[in-house]
Amino acid sequence: MPQTERTSIVSGFYKLPIEKRREFVTQFSNLTQEDLKSFSSGLDLATADRMIENVLGTFELPLGVAVNFLINKKDYLIPMATEESSVVAAASNAAKIARVKGGFSTISSKPLMIGQLQVLHVKDVVSAAQNIMQHKTQLLALANAQDKILVDFGGGAKDIEVRILDSPLGHMIVVHLIVDVRDAMGANAVNTMCEALAPILEEITAGNVRLKILSNLADKRLVKATAIFDKEKMGGDSIIDAFLESYTLASIDPYRAATHNKGIMNGIDAVIIATGNDFRAIEAGAHAYAARTGLYTSLTTYHKNKDGDLVGEIELPMAVGVIGGAANMHPKAKLCRKILGISTAQELAEVVASVGLAQNFAALFALSTVGIQKGHMSLHAKNIAVMAGAQGEEIERLADQLVQDGKVKLDYAKILLEKIRKKS
Ligand code: NAD
């Protein structure tokens, strides 16, 4: 497929053989022969053995690439690692519709993470809290002495906040250390700083410091993505109305919001995993943020604008890094960052939020029109075909027949496979 200009918009990408898809990505992202080898090679055992304990081997996931994304007027191919069918296709379709009105626009706050120190057994919590604030400069300097590299990059501990919480154990002080972690996810950096502050906090408060660890509710490290979804492309006014009706349930009901947000995380986690980031941290932050008002609700909002188009927005914490953790160790994570063409954590955060919005739009669009199963069925049918024992070309043939017959079921697949084999 010759590329005349650098664009992520491709039609029929899914129909190409894997080699041709790799060719396209190679041209788009200026990959080298060495990079190309990484597509086929797995994580080497020595690296895996350094990453976790008791290693036996590695565990593979399919790695795909979502096409059509235009974010802040820049084209992106988005690597996604996931075991779930339809996720990559849905993101690509949503990105195609969003493109009509200019794609995704994003903004994000500074990469500020929060470290918590829990101070117990303090006699007078109010004057102890004041005392902590009076020692702010000294505390920040001590925190920054733990990570000269981070400070050299313009990051480091920037602020201290003190909260007094009532608990079954009585009043306790919770100190928040606010750290600019630049291009790191920041957990290790923040935890190290918190541990260093504990002894001096015990002196200042005459209390005992128990917990000293990062909070995954990274609500000072937020990212927002918006997109306008074209009315005509969506099929008209009545579809947008149906879409908004579907969305409304997620905004008021935690039972629906949980599934709605799970759909968002289908896209987000896939990029987070592909780029070697911590998906549990992102999940924890997202869901805690969704419940910040006391009612667990949707991470996205939608409304109709004056032209009758659909406007979607997502806002959530995004503690991602392009340095540190697995992001630096896993060769495929490096390759995926190269495919994305990103070099800062902030840009990665903005791309990830856009994918979350795209994924959510695609799911609600399907739910409001044909239903979710239609899109899922053709890939699901392939899985069922394999489970029924189909091999090679049989898989495609059997899957197509299952979808055509509207019976994507294992028992039926086995019967049909026997018939196909008898015929040929
Ligand atoms: P890290 O400690 O491996 O790397 C960050 C360090 O890299 C910084 O402290 C800094 O010294 C250095 N650095 C160099 N260039 C930098 C730049 N441009 N910007 C920022 N720092 C730069 O990694 P981390 O991000 O502190 O920790 C992430 C890891 O911690 C992840 O693997 C995560 O799974 C794990 N973790 C998470 C939690 C949690 O989420 N609750 C808790 C513990 C550990």
Side-chain angles (χ1 to χ4, degrees):
M1 181 185 290
Q3 259 175 274
T4 45
E5 53 170 328
R6 191 181 179 279
T7 174
S8 67
I9 189 143
V10 207
S11 63
F13 190 70
Y14 67 100
K15 292 185 201 150
L16 295 176
I18 292 176
E19 279 312 314
K20 289 280 170 205
R21 290 186 205 140
R22 284 182 181 178
E23 255 174 48
F24 183 85
V25 176
T26 301
Q27 275 188 38
F28 182 91
S29 305
N30 282 324
L31 302 185
T32 62
Q33 285 306 312
E34 209 49 39
D35 294 328
L36 274 173
K37 278 190 208 145
S38 304
F39 276 125
S40 310
S41 59
L43 180 64
D44 68 281
L45 279 182
T47 308
D49 204 27
R50 278 197 299 277
M51 289 172 78
I52 65 160
E53 309 76 34
N54 302 357
V55 162
L56 299 174
T58 57
F59 187 94
E60 296 295 324
L61 281 176
L63 174 69
V65 72
V67 297
N68 304 332
F69 271 86
L70 184 67
I71 304 170
N72 300 326
K73 303 200 170 17
K74 178 175 165 186
D75 271 83
Y76 290 90
L77 289 179
I78 305 200
M80 300 177 87
T82 180
E83 86 298 346
E84 189 167 343
S85 58
S86 303
V87 167
V88 180
S92 304
N93 285 338
K96 196 174 184 179
I97 298 176
R99 248 188 123 92
V100 177
K101 296 271 160 154
F104 298 85
S105 317
T106 66
I107 47 166
S108 51
S109 50
K110 281 188 180 169
L112 295 176
M113 296 297 286
I114 300 167
Q116 293 194 297
L117 291 108
Q118 176 197 29
V119 193
L120 299 162
H121 316 136
V122 178
K123 282 207 183 85
D124 180 350
V125 284
V126 176
S127 60
Q130 284 167 350
N131 218 1
I132 294 169
M133 290 315 280
Q134 278 160 11
H135 286 80
K136 183 168 144 178
T137 313
Q138 187 191 346
L139 289 165
L140 291 179
L142 180 60
N144 283 328
Q146 311 308 311
D147 202 332
K148 296 264 185 247
I149 300 176
L150 190 57
V151 174
D152 285 347
F153 276 102
K158 299 291 180 190
D159 203 3
I160 294 220
E161 291 170 358
V162 182
R163 301 160 67 210
I164 297 171
L165 300 184
D166 202 5
S167 83
L169 306 174
H171 284 108
M172 63 176 77
I173 297 178
V174 177
V175 177
H176 280 192
L177 179 68
I178 316 298
V179 185
D180 182 328
V181 296
R182 297 283 89 199
D183 288 314
M185 181 267 180
N188 288 323
V190 170
N191 291 345
T192 307
M193 289 182 180
C194 287
E195 288 188 4
L197 293 193
I200 183 170
L201 267 182
E202 290 191 337
E203 268 177 42
I204 293 170
T205 59
N208 301 113
V209 173
R210 185 68 59 226
L211 293 179
K212 22 196 186 296
I213 187 156
L214 167 108
S215 168
N216 285 110
L217 177 49
D219 63 358
K220 292 184 188 291
R221 196 178 188 179
L222 295 176
V223 57
K224 195 187 271 191
T226 50
I228 299 170
F229 299 97
D230 183 65
K231 180 171 73 176
E232 304 311 325
K233 276 272 166 199
M234 283 184 68
D237 220 28
S238 61
I239 305 251
I240 293 189
D241 290 342
F243 186 109
L244 288 170
E245 283 166 4
S246 304
Y247 155 69
T248 303
L249 184 57
S251 72
I252 57 163
D253 177 24
Y255 285 94
R256 172 59 203 150
T259 321
H260 178 98
N261 290 341
K262 188 272 178 187
I264 292 173
M265 302 315 286
N266 277 343
I268 288 183
D269 283 347
V271 188
I272 292 296
I273 293 169
T275 54
N277 273 284
D278 182 339
F279 61 91
R280 288 85 53 211
I282 300 299
E283 285 275 348
H287 295 294
Y289 193 68
R292 67 195 178 283
T293 61
L295 173 78
Y296 181 87
T297 185
S298 163
L299 287 164
T300 51
T301 55
Y302 291 93
H303 68 270
K304 210 193 279 191
N305 69 11
K306 61 178 177 8
D307 300 326
D309 296 320
L310 181 75
V311 182
E313 183 173 298
I314 187 168
E315 184 184 81
L316 77 169
M318 195 52 69
V320 287
V322 293
I323 203 101
N328 263 34
M329 281 208 238
H330 202 300
K332 278 214 177 91
K334 288 187 206 164
L335 173 66
C336 289
R337 284 206 305 275
K338 192 163 178 187
I339 293 172
L340 278 166
I342 51 125
S343 52
T344 67
Q346 202 148 358
E347 188 180 356
L348 176 58
E350 294 182 6
V351 166
V352 173
S354 303
V355 175
L357 177 58
Q359 210 71 51
N360 183 237
F361 167 82
L364 274 181
F365 190 32
L367 281 168
S368 316
T369 50
V370 290
I372 207 80
Q373 283 306 80
K374 190 171 183 286
H376 271 258
M377 270 311 146
S378 65
L379 277 168
H380 179 55
K382 282 189 193 163
N383 291 340
I384 294 286
V386 172
M387 281 165 70
Q391 289 178 345
E393 285 172 4
E394 285 175 350
I395 300 172
E396 197 86 34
R397 197 167 153 200
L398 178 57
D400 285 350
Q401 195 61 51
L402 290 173
V403 173
Q404 250 179 47
D405 295 355
K407 285 196 237 175
V408 186
K409 295 192 174 87
L410 186 57
D411 49 352
Y412 183 65
K414 284 181 179 167
I415 297 166
L416 213 58
L417 180 62
E418 256 181 55
K419 279 189 193 164
I420 289 173
R421 282 181 177 168
K422 270 186 196 152
K423 261 193 207 167
S424 54

